[in-house]
């Protein structure tokens, strides 16, 4: 699995953009501390969001990620540590191989 | 005969002919009970004696449920006689049991098995009057104390609520917003204070009139802490996983209803004379009958695909089960409507010699419940649409292992044991069946080039050309989906159309795979592939081009096959089962 470094800001911005597009709102209308459910994103669509995350960051996430990290802020914190872990893992594997 | 159909064959013998008026399961008996809104108790007792309820329990827990393919086939025999019995005796308990059986503690499993073995039903208590199946707004509250959960609130439109031995209750266990605020509780009526349960009176319904549908009100009903299925806050996740099993199986059972409808309509068309000839010879009539047969064949392929996928690609059932529940009931409801046109007044009038076809009225009343209950087509479509972009754009998904599709579609391949732990609420962008499209092209070429079977009318070439069309339609869909809203409130015709197109492609590929992997295993009629060509045309008119003359000859051959199956009393399913 190819990985790369994503800062917390990049992850947060991407989530805001993705969710704003999903619910047809402007980015500046999105409150990163508000539960996604407040924007009409129900549990099924939150599962769809996990697919977008997997594709964007090339990581495997639990489809319930938006249930367990219900705000953009919480989700971006979690994704930051997850992508970081993935990157460290990739570097270690690369070093071991070379 | 394939091993997984031996028990259905025996069950058909045990249940006897529906035309025999002395039989417990005769049309007359079933219709008469239905019209009095009375549940067929004697028939249910008979099914208990036959051990049918043991099929709700997996083999490793002392039951008989081994393969979902066999399970569906058995219940199709019940549904073709009476959907009231199918739901009231069968599916309701199965739906209520699966969450506890596959996700509950050993104690819950033990209690559920005991309830079923004691010949008691179990109820599914999800639905609330104000919120329907909008589970995230459920109001029934479970207050968690140090040693128990106390339930308060009302669940309505609950089958068998008052007579069941237990209830699987979906409730809110936290006042916080979000999907983790809900839990699933198994309320065993044997060990709770029954005076805290108040039952609503029987609710009248248009169809399945004999079903004891009512409601239940919990008044501080106390259930021990170990009644929580899985763990606190996991209610929605368990529900979405457990429902994949039931949504994958219910539609296939309902094919039995349409089998009866087509049989009766054919008998009528073959005996009714108008304008000096049997109406069977009228173009509209025989085309409708052929269409109905083809609809059954398509639905059968989808059902088999879904049932076997539960064992083989369990982790992909989120989309496959929704697709099955979205596609089959809608298609078969239309089939029934079309058949009713042939019967005309005979399906409307209730007295006199028209009595012979009166069962059709019941079939028409009963069938909508298959579509309405347990997630209607919009709910299923929203499950699919939420994942559709990922499914279509997942570049890392590629066809890797042909043994997977072979295991799903080749009926003589032994199925692995079902492992519920593999169920997931997302497909993670994978659909092994659609991913096999390019490989399927190769398989069809092989059949054609090596003359594996002697085929007339260029069936292979027609099927091969349809693969290109299916591939084109998926490519088109990839770009269309980018502009579709994923929000259920904004769900429009464009979104609905995307789901339809995706399902059509999946269904068409399933039919072709089913044919390819079962050549020389089922019957000469199956091998000939006429049904497949007509099915592809029926799934999507753009998938296949058939010359008018060839289409006519295919329809005639199909009609001859229908006539043979009616005369010999054999099911319309692709794997034929002899009736009594």
């Amino acid at each position: 699995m190819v990985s790369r470094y994503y800062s917390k800001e990049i992850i947060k911005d991407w989530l805001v953009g993705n969710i704003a597009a999903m619910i047809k709102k402007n980015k500046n209308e999105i409150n990163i501390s508000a539960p996604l459910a407040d924007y009409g994103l129900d549990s099924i669509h939150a599962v769809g969001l996990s697919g977008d995350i997997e594709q964007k960051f090339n990581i495997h996430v639990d489809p319930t990620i938006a249930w367990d990290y219900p705000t953009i802020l919480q989700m971006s914190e979690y994704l930051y540590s997850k992508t970081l872990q993935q990157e460290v893992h990739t570097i270690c594997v690369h070093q071991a191989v070379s | 005969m394939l091993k997984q159909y031996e028990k259905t064959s025996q069950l058909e013998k045990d249940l006897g002919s529906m035309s025999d008026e002395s039989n417990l399961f005769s049309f007359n008996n079933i219709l008469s009970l239905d019209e009095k809104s009375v549940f067929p108790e004697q028939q249910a007792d008979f099914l208990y004696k036959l051990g049918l309820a043991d099929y709700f329990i997996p083999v490793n827990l002392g039951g008989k449920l081994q393969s979902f393919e066999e399970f569906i086939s058995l219940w199709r025999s019940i549904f073709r006689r009476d959907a009231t019995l199918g739901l009231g005796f069968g599916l309701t308990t199965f739906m209520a049991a699966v969450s506890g059986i596959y996700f509950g503690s050993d104690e819950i499993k033990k209690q559920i098995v005991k309830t079923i073995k004691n010949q008691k039903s179990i109820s599914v208590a999800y639905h609330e009057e104000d919120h329907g199946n909008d589970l995230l707004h459920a109001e029934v509250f479970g207050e968690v104390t140090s040693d128990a959960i106390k339930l308060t609130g009302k669940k309505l439109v609950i089958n068998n609520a008052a007579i069941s031995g237990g209830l699987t209750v979906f409730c809110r266990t936290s006042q916080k917003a979000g999907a983790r605020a809900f839990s699933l509780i198994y309320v065993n009526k044997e060990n709770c204070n029954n005076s805290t349960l108040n039952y609503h009176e029987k609710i009248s319904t248009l169809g399945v009139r004999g079903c004891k549908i009512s409601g239940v009100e919990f008044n501080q009903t106390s259930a021990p802490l170990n009644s929580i299925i899985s763990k606190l806050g996991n209610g929605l996740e368990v529900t979405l996983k457990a429902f994949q099993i039931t949504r994958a199986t219910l539609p296939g059972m309902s094919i039995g209803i349409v089998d009866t409808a087509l049989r009766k309509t054919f008998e009528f068309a073959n005996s009714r004379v108008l304008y000096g000839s049997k109406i069977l010879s009228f173009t509209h009539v025989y085309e409708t009958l052929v269409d109905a047969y083809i609809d059954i064949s398509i639905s059968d392929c989808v059902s088999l695909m879904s049932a076997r996928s539960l064992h083989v690609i369990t982790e992909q059932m989120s989309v496959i089960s929704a697709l099955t529940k979205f596609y089959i009931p809608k298609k078969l409801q239309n089939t029934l409507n079309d058949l009713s046109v042939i019967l005309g007044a005979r399906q409307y009038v209730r007295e006199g010699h028209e009595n012979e076809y009166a069962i059709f009225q019941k079939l028409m009343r009963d069938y909508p419940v298959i579509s309405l209950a347990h997630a209607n087509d919009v709910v299923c479509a929203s499950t699919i649409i939420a994942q559709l972009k990922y499914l279509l754009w997942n570049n890392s998904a590629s066809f890797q292992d042909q043994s997977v599709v072979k295991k799903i579609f080749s009926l003589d391949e032994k199925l692995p044991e079902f492992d519920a732990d593999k169920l997931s609420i997302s497909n993670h962008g994978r659909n092994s069946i659609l991913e096999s499209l390019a490989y399927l092209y190769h398989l069809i070429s092989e059949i054609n080039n090596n003359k594996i079977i002697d085929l007339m009318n260029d069936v292979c070439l027609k099927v091969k050309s349809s693969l290109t069309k299916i591939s084109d339609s998926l490519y088109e869909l990839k770009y269309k989906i980018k502009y579709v809203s994923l929000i259920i409130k904004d769900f429009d015709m464009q979104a609905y159309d995307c789901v339809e197109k995706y399902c059509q492609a999946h269904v068409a590929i399933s039919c072709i795979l089913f044919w390819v992997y079962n050549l020389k295993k089922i019957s000469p009629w199956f091998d000939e592939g006429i049904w497949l060509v007509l099915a592809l045309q029926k799934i999507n008119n753009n998938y296949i081009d058939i010359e008018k003359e060839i289409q006519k000859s295919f329809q005639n051959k199909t009609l001859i096959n229908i006539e043979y199956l009616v005369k010999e009393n054999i099911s319309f399913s692709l794997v034929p089962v002899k009736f009594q």
Side-chain angles (χ1 to χ4, degrees):
Chain A
M1 189 174 266
V2 182
S3 182
R4 52 165 288 200
Y5 174 76
Y6 294 98
S7 70
K8 277 185 194 175
E9 279 310 303
I10 291 175
I11 294 172
K12 205 162 59 192
D13 282 352
W14 180 83
L15 281 172
V16 169
N18 186 285
I19 287 159
M22 212 184 249
I23 58 172
K24 292 179 182 156
K25 279 190 183 290
N26 290 325
K27 278 183 177 185
N28 55 17
E29 290 177 83
I30 306 291
N31 175 358
I32 60 167
S33 302
L36 295 177
D38 288 0
Y39 296 110
L41 268 176
D42 77 3
S43 53
I44 296 292
H45 300 106
V47 171
L49 177 64
S50 74
D52 292 346
I53 292 170
E54 288 192 346
Q55 276 194 296
K56 169 69 184 171
F57 300 107
N58 207 11
I59 52 171
H60 184 91
V61 294
D62 207 83
T64 54
I65 179 174
W67 304 4
D68 298 320
Y69 305 93
T71 69
I72 289 177
L73 198 59
Q74 288 170 316
M75 208 185 298
S76 54
E77 292 281 348
Y78 168 76
L79 286 175
Y80 174 69
S81 69
K82 179 98 182 168
T83 49
L84 201 61
Q85 264 175 27
Q86 181 69 43
E87 199 207 3
V88 170
H89 175 76
T90 309
I91 292 168
C92 291
V93 169
H94 182 73
Q95 282 175 348
V97 170
S98 57
Chain B
M1 170 174 269
L2 290 157
K3 201 174 179 310
Q4 60 269 41
Y5 293 91
E6 285 172 3
K7 283 173 186 157
T8 306
S9 188
Q10 182 56 47
L11 179 63
E12 282 293 343
K13 283 180 193 155
D14 293 336
L15 299 181
S17 165
M18 289 188 275
S19 304
D20 173 3
E21 289 199 16
S22 65
N23 181 5
L24 198 58
F25 293 88
S26 71
F27 286 126
N28 276 355
N29 277 340
I30 296 294
L31 195 57
S32 149
L33 289 166
D34 180 71
E35 288 177 341
K36 286 183 256 172
S37 296
V38 171
F39 186 75
E41 303 287 359
Q42 270 185 288
Q43 288 79 351
D45 284 346
F46 190 83
L47 298 185
Y48 272 124
K49 279 181 196 135
L50 289 179
L52 256 277
D54 289 343
Y55 285 93
F56 305 140
I57 307 165
V59 167
N60 64 345
L61 294 178
K64 292 180 184 167
L65 175 57
Q66 199 154 23
S67 118
F68 288 109
E69 183 188 357
E70 179 181 72
F71 178 71
I72 292 172
S73 164
L74 285 165
W75 285 97
R76 198 177 289 178
S77 289
I78 309 300
F79 271 85
R80 85 179 185 90
R81 288 169 169 82
D82 185 11
T84 302
L85 199 55
L87 283 179
F89 171 82
L91 201 83
T92 297
T93 294
F94 182 61
M95 272 176 71
V98 282
S99 41
I101 290 245
Y102 291 111
F103 301 97
S105 62
D106 288 347
E107 177 55 29
I108 290 178
K109 285 178 187 162
K110 214 167 86 185
Q111 288 182 28
I112 289 176
V113 169
K114 190 178 162 204
T115 305
I116 296 171
K117 293 266 184 195
N118 284 344
Q119 305 196 346
K120 283 276 190 185
S121 59
I122 305 174
S123 296
V124 206
Y126 282 75
H127 192 274
E128 294 182 14
E129 192 171 26
D130 288 345
H131 310 295
N133 284 320
D134 176 7
L135 296 178
L136 288 183
H137 288 93
E139 286 182 49
V140 166
F141 194 76
E143 186 196 350
V144 183
T145 65
S146 57
D147 60 346
I149 293 192
K150 285 185 178 163
L151 292 165
T152 311
K154 195 196 271 185
K155 295 280 185 185
L156 263 189
V157 200
I158 309 300
N159 204 0
N160 295 332
I163 56 151
S164 59
L167 299 143
T168 300
V169 185
F170 184 85
C171 65
R172 179 177 282 279
T173 42
S174 161
Q175 296 293 9
K176 283 186 189 163
R180 291 291 184 208
F182 303 91
S183 302
L184 211 50
I185 316 292
Y186 181 64
V187 176
N188 185 352
K189 290 188 190 175
E190 252 186 33
N191 60 17
C192 81
N193 182 353
N194 279 271
S195 66
T196 61
L197 297 170
N198 286 336
Y199 300 109
H200 194 280
E201 58 193 32
K202 185 178 184 310
I203 296 169
S204 298
T205 47
L206 177 67
V208 290
R209 291 176 176 176
C211 277
K212 295 168 183 171
I213 298 170
S214 63
V216 57
E217 188 170 354
F218 304 97
N219 301 299
Q220 293 277 303
T221 306
S222 187
L225 280 179
N226 66 6
S227 311
I228 301 171
I229 296 172
S230 180
K231 59 182 184 187
L232 204 66
N234 255 14
L236 188 65
E237 191 174 348
V238 169
T239 297
L240 292 177
K241 287 180 179 174
F243 280 2
Q244 289 174 25
I245 303 169
T246 44
R247 283 174 190 164
T249 47
L250 167 66
M253 299 174 190
S254 79
I255 295 173
I257 300 175
V258 188
D259 189 299
T260 300
L262 175 55
R263 208 163 288 275
K264 288 311 264 183
T265 313
F266 181 89
E267 284 170 8
F268 173 72
N270 202 23
S271 60
R272 177 75 163 156
V273 175
L274 283 178
Y275 312 110
S277 51
K278 282 182 183 176
I279 64 163
L280 186 60
S281 63
F282 297 1
T283 309
H284 170 263
V285 172
Y286 75 71
E287 281 187 354
T288 304
L289 293 168
V290 168
D291 274 359
Y293 174 82
I294 295 300
D295 284 343
I296 289 179
S297 303
I298 298 167
S299 303
D300 206 11
C301 282
V302 177
S303 168
L304 284 162
M305 172 279 299
S306 206
R308 294 181 66 91
S309 292
L310 272 167
H311 295 264
V312 184
I313 44 171
T314 318
E315 67 286 356
Q316 294 178 28
M317 287 311 292
S318 161
V319 168
I320 290 176
S321 62
L323 181 149
T324 307
K325 184 72 174 56
F326 174 79
Y327 193 84
I328 297 180
K330 205 152 51 80
K331 174 162 278 302
L332 294 184
Q333 182 66 66
N334 288 337
T335 312
L336 277 178
N337 293 343
D338 292 344
L339 288 173
S340 73
V341 175
I342 298 179
L343 280 169
R346 297 298 165 111
Q347 56 104 12
Y348 200 77
V349 180
R350 182 61 186 91
E351 287 181 1
H353 63 279
E354 285 81 4
N355 219 15
E356 202 182 331
Y357 304 103
I359 192 71
F360 200 92
Q361 299 173 358
K362 177 170 159 24
L363 305 177
M364 288 291 283
R365 285 198 307 271
D366 287 350
Y367 199 86
V369 81
I370 306 295
S371 181
L372 296 171
H374 201 22
N376 62 25
D377 55 343
V378 175
V379 173
C380 292
S382 69
T383 303
I384 299 169
I385 199 94
Q387 299 186 49
L388 205 45
K389 204 161 57 165
Y390 192 14
L391 286 163
L392 292 165
W393 283 93
N394 185 8
N395 296 328
S396 60
S398 60
F399 186 66
Q400 287 151 352
D401 187 1
Q402 63 123 328
S403 71
V404 170
V405 277
K406 191 174 179 204
K407 242 187 184 26
I408 297 170
F409 289 96
S410 174
L411 294 186
D412 53 7
E413 286 267 326
K414 196 174 179 311
L415 289 170
E417 197 180 321
F418 172 66
D419 180 2
D421 289 344
K422 288 184 183 165
L423 287 169
S424 167
I425 59 172
S426 160
N427 272 44
H428 292 282
R430 296 295 309 272
N431 180 337
S432 296
I433 291 162
L434 277 185
E435 286 161 22
S436 72
L437 202 148
Y439 177 70
L440 188 51
Y441 202 82
H442 157 79
L443 278 179
I444 298 280
S445 303
E446 218 172 53
I447 292 169
N448 196 37
N449 299 342
N450 300 340
K451 303 263 178 262
I452 290 177
I453 48 165
D454 189 20
L455 287 170
M456 309 286 283
N457 304 307
D458 298 331
V459 165
C460 270
L461 290 178
K462 286 187 174 68
V463 173
K464 206 167 157 184
S465 72
S466 76
L467 288 173
T468 314
K469 305 258 177 62
I470 295 166
S471 175
D472 289 348
S473 78
L474 285 170
Y475 188 76
E476 226 175 84
L477 196 54
K478 252 178 116 163
Y479 292 91
K480 210 171 160 190
I481 192 70
K482 282 188 159 185
Y483 306 100
V484 164
S485 170
L486 300 180
I487 307 295
I488 198 158
K489 285 180 201 157
D490 298 335
F491 206 74
D492 57 11
M493 289 315 284
Q494 200 188 356
Y496 201 85
D497 187 55
C498 285
V499 175
E500 285 261 21
K501 292 272 158 54
Y502 184 79
C503 290
Q504 286 168 1
H506 184 105
V507 168
I509 297 291
S510 298
C511 289
I512 303 171
L513 281 165
F514 189 67
W515 180 67
V516 165
Y517 280 118
N518 292 289
L519 287 170
K520 294 185 176 174
K521 291 180 197 169
I522 294 179
S523 67
W525 162 256
F526 177 87
D527 291 350
E528 216 178 330
I530 287 175
W531 69 271
L532 177 63
V533 171
L534 293 178
L536 291 170
Q537 191 190 37
K538 193 88 206 288
I539 294 164
N540 185 326
N541 208 22
N542 295 326
Y543 283 169
I544 205 156
D545 296 319
I546 321 175
E547 301 81 351
K548 199 105 191 122
E549 265 174 41
I550 292 184
Q551 184 176 20
K552 209 86 191 150
S553 106
F554 278 16
Q555 284 174 332
N556 284 336
K557 285 184 178 177
T558 308
L559 196 65
I560 292 168
N561 187 50
I562 299 172
E563 191 168 11
Y564 164 77
L565 295 172
V566 172
K567 198 172 146 222
E568 296 299 318
N569 229 356
I570 296 171
S571 69
F572 292 125
S573 46
L574 288 169
V575 181
V577 174
K578 179 89 174 92
F579 298 155
Q580 290 302 293

